[in-house]
């Protein structure tokens, strides 16, 4: 609405326009004291003007500015982040380099050679997200999108049982308290993993587009694991530009999902070779443009006979690597003698 | 296809016994369905023997570890080992008036493109095959041979070849999922030239290096193909000196050396089994694991 239409005196209108407030939306996030100072008028007059300005039903007298709806101050964001818990990976060393675990509202990409433990880590996270908060989980459900057929129920049950035993062993929940409270059994862990099997790239795209609606109806989902994000996109696309568009569309949707529903998105990726500087190097698949799609990037690799996880890209964590092991109980710390966390 | 339909209830995987309890223990029960299992080894290590044995054990009822199923055997190496199959069938009878050869279907493959052409026909065959023994096992022996002739060793061809891998694997996995099939693929090995190992020296799986017949080897078809399979088994063989039971000595007092073949099956990677290995032997009755 135009400032000129306001039921105020012409003098005040003139002052508003010359100060740059040509439309009411610009007034909507101001406090009366600020406007008064700007226009050189009294606070009461400022209040009068602001009464007509469209705002979310209240004048923010605390001085907070909301210049664009949906924006937050960094201070608010810091407070929110401190409240966010992370999902443990069941390996203390990996949790440490991750700052506690996999974080929500972020897309984490995990890549490595076949057999290094990507699916194992994915399943471990899908189980761990269901743990109560004081055990390193979020008390929520998991969505597991399987594009390769690596999800084996018997392995999930094995990991869930081990998780369950660990919880009891740590007296995290006493048997009596637990029976009444949550009533979780190892097989309940499997029930809380919503499993999608995807067999082509069109199904994958359709599913990711559908996730917004699905998660709105299943608000207790706290993690989405895609195993793997790459497989169906490494076929021949006659039009590579199409592939890039599809991939970036997918990346954008996943980031939005993470932020909107405050959940963790974990994408498992494969490795491929890239010819650079005269030699072949290992790199994550899907190309350079895809590397912008994720917030954090973890690479799993072999160092001699041991498995290591390395933070390759993160806005807030420093590069570090940590050893881990894949055991019958799932992902755990590596208990060999030369275990140490290397800071790069 | 609606996205809601993609949500499925995960069900336990049926497994096809390998025909020997020791091997089954190594494989976590047998070859799993809805999954692509690769058997890698040099020629003569027993890949085809193992596959032929699977064709027979698939016909066993589930109570004996089988799938009560027919099998499809796609072979790229000629001729098809019919005589050996008959020999195995005689050694492992499945019941009176049950001719196992009735439930094995064989199709030749000439190239990778031929395989892509055959897959839709395979799909309609499996779908329309009405019998007490539906098709539940598909064996491709061997996948490496299909790619030998069409592709040269330059980056462009290798990239094209890599895309083919994912296309073929995508279709195989889709078939496996749709019809609850166990897919077994055999692959060959190539020599690893040390010290200039390059990308072939990359460690994939539980073994740091693969040795067979005293040579350092790695699976053919490279890293891309390794990303396409769900599980990989490595069969190796080595000469071993078997000492004689009686202390025979010839004229100059030396013990004669007897050489036997030591064969080992090693699990390189699988989503549901830990690092295991076992020894095995190949006899007239087939492939059997050895507990030592």
């Amino acid at each position: 609405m135009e400032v000129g239409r306001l039921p105020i005196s012409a003098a005040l209108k003139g002052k508003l326009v010359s100060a740059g407030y040509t439309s009411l939306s610009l007034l909507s996030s101001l406090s009366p004291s600020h406007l008064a100072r700007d226009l050189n008028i009294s606070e009461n007059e400022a209040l009068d003007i602001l009464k007509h300005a469209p705002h979310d039903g209240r004048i923010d007298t605390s001085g907070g500015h909301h210049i664009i709806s949906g924006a937050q101050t960094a201070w608010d964001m810091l407070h929110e982040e401190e409240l966010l818990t992370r999902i443990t990976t069941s390996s203390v060393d990996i949790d440490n380099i991750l700052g506690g675990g996999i974080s929500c509202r972020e897309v984490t990409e995990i890549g490595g050679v076949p057999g290094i433990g990507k699916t194992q880590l994915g399943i471990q996270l899908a189980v761990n997200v269901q743990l109560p908060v004081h055990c390193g989980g979020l008390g929520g459900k998991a969505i597991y999108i399987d594009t390769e057929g690596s999800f084996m129920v018997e392995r999930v049950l094995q990991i869930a049982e081990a998780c369950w035993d660990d919880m009891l062993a740590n007296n995290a929940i006493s048997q009596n308290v637990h029976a009444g409270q949550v009533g979780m059994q190892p097989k309940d862990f499997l029930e809380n993993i919503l499993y999608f099997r995807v067999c082509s790239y069109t199904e994958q795209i359709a599913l990711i587009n559908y996730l917004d609606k699905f998660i709105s109806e299943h608000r207790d989902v706290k993690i989405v694991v895609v195993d793997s994000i790459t497989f169906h996109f490494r076929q021949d696309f006659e039009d590579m530009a199409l592939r890039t568009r599809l991939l970036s569309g997918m990346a954008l949707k996943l980031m939005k999902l993470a932020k909107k529903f405050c959940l963790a998105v974990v994408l498992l990726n494969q490795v491929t070779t890239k010819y650079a500087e005269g030699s072949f190097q290992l790199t994550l698949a899907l190309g350079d443009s895809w590397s912008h799609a994720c917030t954090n990037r973890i690479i799993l690799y072999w160092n001699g006979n041991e498995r290591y996880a390395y933070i390759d890209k993160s806005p807030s964590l420093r590069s570090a690597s940590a050893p881990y092991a894949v055991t019958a109980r799932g992902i755990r710390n590596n208990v060999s003698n030369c275990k140490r966390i290397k800071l790069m | 296809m609606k996205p809601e339909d993609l949500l499925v209830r995960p069900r336990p995987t049926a497994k096809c016994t390998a025909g020997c309890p020791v091997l089954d223990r190594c494989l976590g029960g047998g070859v799993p369905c809805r999954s692509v299992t690769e058997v890698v080894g040099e020629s003569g290590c027993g890949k085809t023997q193992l596959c032929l044995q699977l064709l027979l054990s698939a016909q066993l009822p589930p109570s004996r570890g089988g799938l009560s199923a027919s099998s499809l055997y796609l072979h790229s190496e000629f001729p098809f080992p019919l005589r050996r199959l008959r020999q195995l069938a005689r050694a492992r009878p499945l019941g009176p008036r049950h001719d196992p050869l009735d439930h094995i279907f064989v199709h030749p493959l000439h190239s990778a493109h031929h395989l892509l052409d055959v897959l839709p026909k395979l799909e309609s065959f499996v779908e329309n095959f009405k019998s007490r023994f539906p098709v539940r096992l598909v064996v491709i022996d061997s996948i490496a041979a299909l790619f030998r002739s069409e592709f040269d060793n330059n980056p462009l061809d290798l990239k094209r070849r890599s895309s083919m891998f994912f296309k073929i694997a995508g279709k195989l996995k889709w078939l496996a999922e749709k019809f609850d099939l166990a897919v077994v693929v055999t692959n060959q090995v190539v020599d690893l030239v040390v010290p200039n190992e390059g990308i072939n020296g990359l460690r994939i799986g539980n073994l740091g290096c693969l040795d067979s017949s005293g040579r350092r080897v790695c699976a053919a078809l490279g890293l891309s193909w390794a990303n396409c399979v769900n599980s990989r088994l490595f069969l190796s063989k080595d000469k071993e000196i078997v000492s004689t039971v009686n202390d025979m000595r010839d004229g100059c007092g030396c013990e004669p050396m007897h050489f036997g073949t030591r064969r080992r099956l090693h699990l390189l990677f699988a989503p549901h089994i830990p690092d295991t290995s076992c020894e095995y032997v190949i006899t007239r009755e087939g492939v059997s694991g050895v507990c030592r």
Side-chain angles (χ1 to χ4, degrees), chain B residues 87-112:
Chain B
Q87 191 180 45
L88 284 175
R90 274 196 300 275
R92 291 158 177 265
L94 293 163
R97 279 177 295 142
H98 174 120
D99 184 3
L101 298 186
D102 284 342
H103 304 285
I104 297 175
F105 300 93
V106 176
H107 195 294
L109 292 176
H110 304 292
S111 70

Side-chain angles (χ1 to χ4, degrees), chain B residues 235-257:
Chain B
L235 303 183
S236 67
K237 68 177 188 180
D238 267 303
K239 290 263 178 292
E240 68 172 351
I241 298 170
V242 178
S243 53
T244 51
V245 174
N246 0 328
D247 207 11
M248 281 168 45
R249 286 169 197 277
D250 65 9
C252 66
C254 307
E255 258 184 46
M257 305 274 256

Side-chain angles (χ1 to χ4, degrees), chain A residues 82-286:
Chain A
E82 281 165 3
L83 293 172
L84 281 179
T85 38
R86 291 161 183 262
I87 308 172
T88 177
T89 57
S90 289
S91 156
V92 176
D93 289 338
I94 299 188
D95 282 350
N96 282 342
I97 61 169
L98 285 176
I102 301 283
S103 37
C104 290
R105 290 190 159 212
E106 291 182 350
V107 176
T108 305
E109 186 182 4
I110 302 177
V113 294
I116 194 77
K118 305 184 292 293
T119 302
Q120 306 300 308
L121 190 50
I123 295 178
Q124 186 73 63
L125 290 169
V127 164
N128 286 356
V129 74
Q130 304 175 37
L131 296 172
V133 174
H134 66 271
C135 293
L138 297 175
K141 295 196 178 170
I143 286 182
Y144 196 98
I145 301 178
D146 186 5
T147 64
E148 296 190 357
S150 302
F151 186 86
M152 306 279 260
V153 166
E154 59 203 67
R155 179 59 174 154
V156 179
L157 284 173
Q158 200 180 20
I159 293 182
E161 269 169 30
C163 206
W164 178 235
D165 289 338
D166 285 350
M167 277 208 298
L168 289 179
N170 293 339
N171 289 320
I173 11 188
S174 72
Q175 296 229 6
N176 302 333
V177 171
H178 181 75
Q181 245 178 15
V182 181
M184 279 198 94
Q185 297 278 316
K187 68 172 169 58
D188 292 335
F189 281 103
L190 190 59
E191 300 282 313
N192 288 332
I193 300 179
L194 302 165
Y195 174 80
F196 290 84
R197 178 76 170 95
V198 157
C199 293
S200 70
Y201 80 85
T202 45
E203 287 185 1
Q204 188 169 334
I205 304 228
L207 176 58
I208 292 185
N209 290 343
Y210 171 65
L211 277 183
D212 190 286
K213 177 160 180 284
F214 186 79
I215 300 180
S216 319
E217 294 160 10
H218 295 84
R219 286 282 179 160
D220 41 4
V221 168
K222 286 277 175 270
I223 188 172
V224 175
V225 179
V226 186
D227 178 12
S228 64
I229 191 85
T230 330
F231 180 70
H232 295 296
F233 283 89
R234 292 184 72 183
Q235 294 183 21
D236 208 13
F237 275 70
E238 293 89 41
D239 181 7
M240 280 309 266
L242 169 68
R243 191 186 94 149
T244 311
R245 276 201 305 277
L246 291 174
L247 286 174
S248 35
M250 213 166 51
L252 212 59
K253 289 224 162 50
L254 289 167
M255 275 198 265
K256 276 194 190 154
L257 276 177
K259 293 229 160 19
K260 176 174 173 185
F261 296 105
C262 194
L263 42 87
V265 174
V266 173
L267 308 178
L268 302 179
N269 199 355
Q270 299 171 343
V271 288
T272 179
T273 51
K274 165 170 86 163
Y275 194 70
E277 294 157 23
S279 66
F280 281 101
Q281 287 171 14
L282 273 190
T283 178
L284 293 191
L286 293 181

Side-chain angles (χ1 to χ4, degrees), chain B:
Chain B
M1 180 270 306
K2 291 203 300 262
E4 304 87 81
D5 300 336
L6 297 169
L7 177 68
V8 291
R9 189 177 188 72
R11 39 204 210 287
T13 0
K15 300 220 180 52
C16 178
T17 172
C20 156
V22 177
L23 291 178
D24 283 347
R25 234 192 335 264
C26 211
L27 296 174
V31 173
C33 290
R34 295 204 303 278
S35 163
V36 175
T37 306
E38 186 191 21
V39 180
V40 172
E42 62 167 309
S43 44
C45 67
K47 308 186 293 289
T48 303
Q49 302 298 306
L50 189 59
C51 290
L52 294 178
Q53 194 159 303
L54 282 170
L55 297 178
L56 296 172
S57 56
Q59 302 179 29
L60 290 168
S63 54
R64 289 172 64 187
L67 301 170
S68 277
S70 298
S71 327
L72 265 171
Y73 188 88
L74 307 172
H75 63 108
S76 56
E77 312 202 339
F78 303 91
F80 173 69
L82 182 56
R83 184 186 295 169
R84 176 58 170 156
L85 181 59
R86 281 214 174 100
Q87 191 180 45
L88 284 175
R90 274 196 300 275
R92 291 158 177 265
L94 293 163
R97 279 177 295 142
H98 174 120
D99 184 3
L101 298 186
D102 284 342
H103 304 285
I104 297 175
F105 300 93
V106 176
H107 195 294
L109 292 176
H110 304 292
S111 70
H113 282 101
H114 186 207
L115 172 58
L116 275 177
D117 290 337
V118 163
L119 285 175
K121 288 193 263 185
L122 219 151
E123 183 198 343
S124 56
F125 177 71
V126 175
E127 199 161 20
N128 300 319
F129 184 66
K130 305 278 182 260
S131 146
R132 267 187 323 121
F133 288 78
V135 176
R136 294 281 303 278
L137 172 69
V138 173
V139 176
I140 300 183
D141 183 11
S142 67
I143 191 92
L146 297 178
F147 288 92
R148 249 203 296 255
S149 48
E150 281 175 64
F151 299 90
D152 292 324
N153 204 13
N154 59 66
L156 193 62
D157 264 7
L158 288 176
K159 191 145 188 264
R160 270 200 314 127
R161 194 183 75 157
S162 183
S163 307
M164 273 299 247
F165 292 158
F166 285 94
K167 201 162 174 186
I168 290 176
K171 288 205 156 58
L172 284 174
K173 286 182 174 177
W174 176 74
L175 282 173
E177 183 65 32
K178 182 172 175 185
F179 298 110
D180 203 4
L181 307 174
V183 178
V184 177
V185 171
T186 67
N187 193 4
Q188 290 156 356
V189 293
V190 291
D191 279 312
L192 202 53
V193 183
V194 277
N196 218 4
E197 296 163 353
I199 209 67
N200 275 343
L202 179 69
R203 174 173 176 154
I204 297 179
N206 293 319
L207 277 182
C209 46
L210 310 179
D211 292 304
S212 190
S213 289
R215 286 156 30 224
R216 189 134 296 174
V217 294
C218 68
L221 304 183
L223 178 59
S224 309
W225 177 251
N227 280 312
C228 291
V229 299
N230 292 109
S231 318
R232 178 175 271 187
L233 303 170
F234 174 58
L235 303 183
S236 67
K237 68 177 188 180
D238 267 303
K239 290 263 178 292
E240 68 172 351
I241 298 170
V242 178
S243 53
T244 51
V245 174
N246 0 328
D247 207 11
M248 281 168 45
R249 286 169 197 277
D250 65 9
C252 66
C254 307
E255 258 184 46
M257 305 274 256
H258 288 254
F259 289 98
T261 312
R262 182 178 50 201
R263 298 173 191 272
R264 199 157 192 95
L265 177 146
H266 211 123
L267 181 90
L268 292 188
F269 61 82
H272 60 299
I273 329 169
D275 178 12
T276 44
S277 72
C278 71
E279 275 194 46
Y280 66 95
V281 291
I282 305 183
T283 63
R284 199 176 37 191
E285 285 76 40
V287 183
S288 36
V290 176
C291 296
R292 294 235 179 137

Side-chain angles (χ1 to χ4, degrees), chain A residues 267-326:
Chain A
L267 308 178
L268 302 179
N269 199 355
Q270 299 171 343
V271 288
T272 179
T273 51
K274 165 170 86 163
Y275 194 70
E277 294 157 23
S279 66
F280 281 101
Q281 287 171 14
L282 273 190
T283 178
L284 293 191
L286 293 181
D288 291 326
S289 51
W290 174 255
S291 58
H292 301 296
C294 55
T295 321
N296 304 305
R297 199 168 233 206
I298 302 172
I299 298 190
L300 306 179
Y301 65 98
W302 285 103
N303 187 354
N305 266 341
E306 284 164 14
R307 294 173 157 93
Y308 275 78
Y310 169 66
I311 309 259
D312 182 51
K313 169 191 169 187
S314 168
S316 53
L317 304 161
R318 56 195 292 199
S319 284
S321 64
Y324 70 98
V326 178

